[in-house]
Amino acid sequence: MCEAKAYIVNDKGEEELLLEAVSSVKKEGNKIFLKNIFAEEKEIEGEIKEISLTKNKIILKRKG
């Protein structure tokens, strides 16, 4: 399987783990919806900073 880990950049510029085993990422307007293989879901208002397919890593940044 090729699930990714999603991280959010905090105010100090550090990456904090947001969700593991992410299988779906959907962006609608300013919101990003993440879902993993365990049916857990996260929703944040922000932007995608980086997606690394080789590292299975998604980095998000909150708006504001």
Side-chain angles (χ1 to χ4, degrees):
M1 293 294 231
C2 294
E3 295 85 22
K5 290 184 180 179
Y7 297 86
I8 188 87
V9 176
N10 66 21
D11 295 337
K12 297 177 185 178
E14 302 166 334
E15 297 174 6
E16 295 179 358
L17 184 62
L18 181 65
L19 190 63
E20 292 187 272
V22 175
S23 59
S24 173
V25 179
K26 186 166 119 178
K27 179 143 172 68
E28 290 184 7
N30 290 334
K31 294 189 178 184
I32 301 168
F33 300 88
L34 304 165
K35 187 185 293 185
N36 72 9
I37 61 172
F38 307 111
E40 294 176 277
E41 297 181 10
K42 297 276 184 171
E43 172 187 331
I44 71 155
E45 191 168 327
E47 59 189 49
I48 297 170
K49 184 176 176 187
E50 179 183 349
I51 296 176
S52 174
L53 300 176
T54 56
K55 295 180 184 176
N56 296 330
K57 189 174 185 180
I58 302 163
I59 302 173
L60 306 172
K61 184 176 179 181
R62 290 191 193 276
K63 289 262 182 182

